[in-house]
Amino acid sequence: MDVNPIILERESSFSNKWLSLFSFNEVIEYFDEIESIEVKMESLKEEIINDLEDLIGETSGDIKLTLINLKRNLYNNRKIKLPENTTSLDSHEAWSNIKREIKKLAYFRNKSKVKREELDSVLKENFIKERRSLWKEAKSNIWMKNALNFLSPNSIISLKNYLETNVDEHRSKEKKLDYLLLKVLTRASTKTSPFSTLTRNCITIRDIEKEQFNKVEYKETEKIYTQVNYKLLLEYYE
């Protein structure tokens, strides 16, 4: 059986290991928990408003206005404070249920607030940690300079300042480079760019190792790499 001993391959000069430095599991768990709490809050709020509407229909005068204001505050998600002038409603079982439900709603609101504060802290902590990881990857990756020079020649000076400054001391000017570095890493490590500054082409020479039942197994004996300077070609044609 004839087998072509030479094939053309395209490889990435960038590893995708950097992706493991970015973990969103903890953040997703917080979002899921907050969403679950807020779904319960909305359901309980709707239940309280329905109970209040029934009670408003049974009252009149100042007490009715008090209940209407309470309903408005609930609907607009304002801070809820139980009215004091409701002694005439103490005999109503519906009012006792409403007060109990409002206290439960306040508990859910406080729980959601605490979780959001925790999430904010986690996001800030992860942001710092992931920026450090990105900085290390940019500093250790020998192909990064070539890739940036092709995509944005003006960013080379920015990269120099970015790498020479401790990541925790970066100002907004240095932080602006984060997005470009992430874009380069994503495009290059997933081989979505045809440019040889991000990927490289090679000719692989193969020898037949085993041939059986029309199936051929082969081993690679040599790889010959080539890299075309597309940036130079673009400048020439421009």
Side-chain angles (χ1 to χ4, degrees), residues 99-142:
K99 289 194 293 183
R100 186 167 53 252
E101 289 168 346
I102 287 175
K103 288 179 182 178
K104 189 176 180 181
L105 181 63
Y107 166 78
F108 281 135
R109 283 184 174 181
N110 184 63
K111 190 175 180 181
S112 175
K113 181 184 176 184
V114 169
K115 287 297 175 184
R116 284 184 176 277
E117 288 171 352
E118 289 176 4
L119 174 61
D120 186 58
S121 177
V122 168
L123 286 171
K124 288 176 180 176
E125 186 179 319
N126 282 3
F127 177 71
I128 294 169
K129 183 176 66 176
E130 289 165 5
R131 286 202 74 251
R132 288 173 183 163
S133 300
L134 182 62
W135 182 84
K136 287 179 183 176
E137 181 66 24
K139 195 173 182 69
S140 62
N141 195 310
I142 60 173

Side-chain angles (χ1 to χ4, degrees), residues 8-12 190-195 199-202:
L8 183 66
E9 295 183 16
R10 192 179 78 186
E11 296 179 352
S12 174
T190 55
K191 301 182 184 179
T192 57
S193 171
F195 305 123
T199 57
R200 54 185 179 171
N201 300 313
C202 74

Side-chain angles (χ1 to χ4, degrees), residues 10-169:
R10 192 179 78 186
E11 296 179 352
S12 174
S13 306
F14 292 72
S15 167
N16 60 5
K17 290 181 181 178
W18 65 275
L19 281 166
S20 63
L21 304 174
F22 295 81
S23 175
F24 305 101
N25 292 337
E26 188 179 9
V27 173
I28 291 171
E29 286 174 7
Y30 270 104
F31 275 116
D32 288 344
E33 193 168 355
I34 290 169
E35 184 182 14
S36 174
I37 294 169
E38 293 187 347
V39 165
K40 292 175 183 176
M41 281 170 51
E42 284 301 311
S43 175
L44 184 58
K45 186 178 82 171
E46 187 177 345
E47 186 179 333
I48 297 170
I49 288 173
N50 289 336
D51 291 343
L52 273 171
E53 286 175 347
D54 292 339
L55 191 56
I56 288 168
E58 300 175 14
T59 57
S60 61
D62 291 344
I63 195 67
K64 184 169 188 171
L65 291 175
T66 298
L67 293 177
I68 289 172
N69 287 333
L70 178 60
K71 175 191 167 185
R72 185 183 296 114
N73 290 339
L74 275 165
Y75 184 83
N76 292 314
N77 293 319
R78 296 173 185 159
K79 186 176 181 180
I80 302 301
K81 184 179 179 181
L82 285 171
E84 296 177 358
N85 58 335
T86 56
T87 51
S88 60
L89 294 174
D90 289 347
S91 58
H92 281 261
E93 184 180 349
W95 178 238
S96 298
N97 290 337
I98 288 170
K99 289 194 293 183
R100 186 167 53 252
E101 289 168 346
I102 287 175
K103 288 179 182 178
K104 189 176 180 181
L105 181 63
Y107 166 78
F108 281 135
R109 283 184 174 181
N110 184 63
K111 190 175 180 181
S112 175
K113 181 184 176 184
V114 169
K115 287 297 175 184
R116 284 184 176 277
E117 288 171 352
E118 289 176 4
L119 174 61
D120 186 58
S121 177
V122 168
L123 286 171
K124 288 176 180 176
E125 186 179 319
N126 282 3
F127 177 71
I128 294 169
K129 183 176 66 176
E130 289 165 5
R131 286 202 74 251
R132 288 173 183 163
S133 300
L134 182 62
W135 182 84
K136 287 179 183 176
E137 181 66 24
K139 195 173 182 69
S140 62
N141 195 310
I142 60 173
W143 299 95
M144 184 64 76
K145 187 176 180 180
N146 283 345
L148 283 180
N149 193 38
F150 176 75
L151 293 171
S152 176
N154 295 332
S155 64
I156 294 300
I157 297 173
S158 301
L159 179 65
K160 184 175 182 293
N161 295 333
Y162 184 93
L163 296 178
E164 289 179 353
T165 307
N166 186 295
V167 68
D168 295 329
E169 298 172 4

